[in-house]
Amino acid sequence: MALLCVRILRGNGFASVSAHLTRSFQAAGHTVRKTHNNSLLRVTDTVELRLRAAPCGRRLFSGEKAKTVCFPARAPKNISPLRPAAVLTQCGYQLHTSAPLRAVPAPLLWLVLKPLQKLMAIILGRSIRKWWVALPPNRRQLMREAAWRYRWQLVAVAAVATVIVALFLLTHLDESPVTGRTRLLVFSRENYMELAALSAEGYMEKFAELLVPESDPRHQVVERVVQHLAQRNKDIPEMSSVTWSVHVVQSPTINAFVLPNGEVFMFTGMLEAVADVHQLTFILGHEMAHALMGHSAEQASLSHVVDFLSLILLTAIWAVCPRDSLALLGQWIQSKLVQLMFSRPYSRKLEAEADQVGLQLAAKACADVRAGPVFWQQMEVTDQLRGELAIPEFLSTHPSHRNRVSQLDRLVPQALELRESCACPALPSTDPRAVFSKSVRVLLDSVKDRGREGSEGTLKPLPCGPATAPEGLATALLPQSTAASAPNMNVDIPVAASESAPAASDPGPAEGRKTPAQGAQPHLAGVFGPQEASSC
């Protein structure tokens, strides 16, 4: 609702100005309501505001004292909310509606106020401690006796506060899309859409010099997979209501993330870590599941409630501890306990749910869902080959690779049934999980043989099977002219490149797929089935 303010002069001409404006709005087909003193005209159902020009010789304003009359008016639909509405002209003077003020998104405001609230809790607790220490002994005894005398009143106040908190939590329960899980949402999805827009601008500035051009084959691959996932899952309202935009960042980091407003950020390190388009589809489905299910808003809502309750405990810590050093130690222990008991377990839960939903999205997109567990097996072997120290799962915000593989293996049969119900082409009989397990065994046997030969003074080279490295994403999706310009799209994981005899008989991730070397012009329809097929 915009606000149209007209500054007129108080005097005999006010009635004529009011009558003239009323006639002008009524002639334009709008409804005009007058207040009891005729000093405020309310215009409703306004599509476009235009004042009828009065004769320039006519005197509309008279008197010496000024008065401001404001007209609440609805801005035109075709005008951006970031720009003021149409300019209104009245006898040489320009009137315009004021631009609506954009409120700061609630999550961003909470992030700013969160440290301040913690500081206020520390100051309050420390002040209570100083005040209690400064009291004479007899006053302390009187305070204890008063607290015991009114103990039931204090219990009643605590019970009322508990009921208020419980009612607040119950009135902010929501049902998660796809899974139907009951969750707590303090911040709405609309608030996080505004925050996501601000975050996207920040990421675009941060990665401005690292963004891969849209003509690059890597960008085209990610773009096609994202659009294919969105098209095949358009029956989900949260999926079809978002415009998905892809940004590929030149970085060796093995990571990808999707903002709630559909901005997809993929790092080239992740493209080099996946073995084929099916693994890429699963990874993008996982990240898109985070966005469409609003996991960021859900996690922030839990953090909001936990931090609010932690403020009470933090105040008590600083009030009870006799010294500041002990209070700091207690505050550190409290923060770690909150992370271990609430934040990190909940984050792992959301990651596991995103794996589940992402596998369903990939199944409806006709990808080989058996490639999902293989990806995390590859990541586990890669971390071992690099000598990276695996931290315990309870200290991490993500499930361990091994637990992810176990969970996905349990979900694969259900995902295969969902894929079959979506009229997808048949999968090859060779399970990629079995191929990967055999490849790992071949690699381990080769390392053992190499170690034995090395102990005898001679080094035996690793055996080279007849199969080459798996096809890269560019050769799976793009024409030969563009695929040749993306050599680093192939897999760079040692165990994936050492597939021997079983891999030679494997027709590939999708049976019957034609490669650019065979003179075809491949796209997602050749990998996952007809792209024009309706979502299941």
Side-chain angles (χ1 to χ4, degrees), residues 280-447:
L280 178 64
T281 305
F282 166 72
I283 293 299
L284 287 172
H286 169 91
E287 299 300 336
M288 294 170 73
H290 278 307
L292 67 90
M293 300 185 70
H295 280 171
S296 56
E298 184 178 347
Q299 197 164 10
S301 298
L302 176 70
S303 176
H304 177 77
V305 175
V306 171
D307 288 342
F308 176 76
L309 298 177
S310 299
L311 292 177
I312 303 175
L313 181 59
L314 182 62
T315 304
I317 290 175
W318 279 88
V320 172
C321 292
R323 292 191 300 272
D324 291 346
S325 58
L326 293 177
L328 286 173
L329 178 61
Q331 179 182 346
W332 180 82
I333 294 175
Q334 178 221 7
S335 63
K336 295 303 179 183
L337 287 177
V338 168
Q339 291 181 5
L340 294 176
M341 297 175 61
F342 296 100
S343 301
R344 291 178 180 174
Y346 201 75
S347 178
R348 292 194 295 269
K349 177 182 177 180
L350 296 183
E351 289 294 332
E353 187 179 51
D355 280 343
Q356 176 185 355
V357 177
L359 198 66
Q360 296 178 11
L361 299 181
K364 294 171 67 175
C366 296
D368 190 349
V369 293
R370 300 172 298 181
V374 175
F375 173 78
W376 292 114
Q377 287 178 323
Q378 291 175 185
M379 294 299 297
E380 182 180 11
V381 174
T382 303
D383 291 345
Q384 293 176 357
L385 293 177
R386 292 177 178 174
E388 296 183 3
L389 182 63
I391 61 175
E393 186 181 71
F394 71 92
L395 295 177
S396 175
T397 57
H398 289 63
S400 64
H401 298 329
R402 187 162 300 177
N403 286 344
R404 275 184 144 165
V405 171
S406 301
Q407 181 199 15
L408 290 173
D409 280 335
R410 291 193 301 267
L411 296 174
V412 161
Q414 182 181 358
L416 288 175
E417 294 179 0
L418 177 62
R419 184 185 185 278
E420 184 178 357
S421 66
C422 294
C424 296
L427 291 173
S429 57
T430 305
D431 194 328
R433 294 172 292 181
V435 173
F436 180 82
S437 299
K438 191 161 188 176
S439 300
V440 172
R441 287 196 298 269
V442 170
L443 177 64
L444 293 177
D445 293 342
S446 301
V447 171

Side-chain angles (χ1 to χ4, degrees), residues 231-232 234 523 525 529-534:
Q231 194 274 335
R232 294 287 296 184
K234 62 183 179 181
H523 48 79
Q531 192 171 1
E532 295 79 8
S534 59

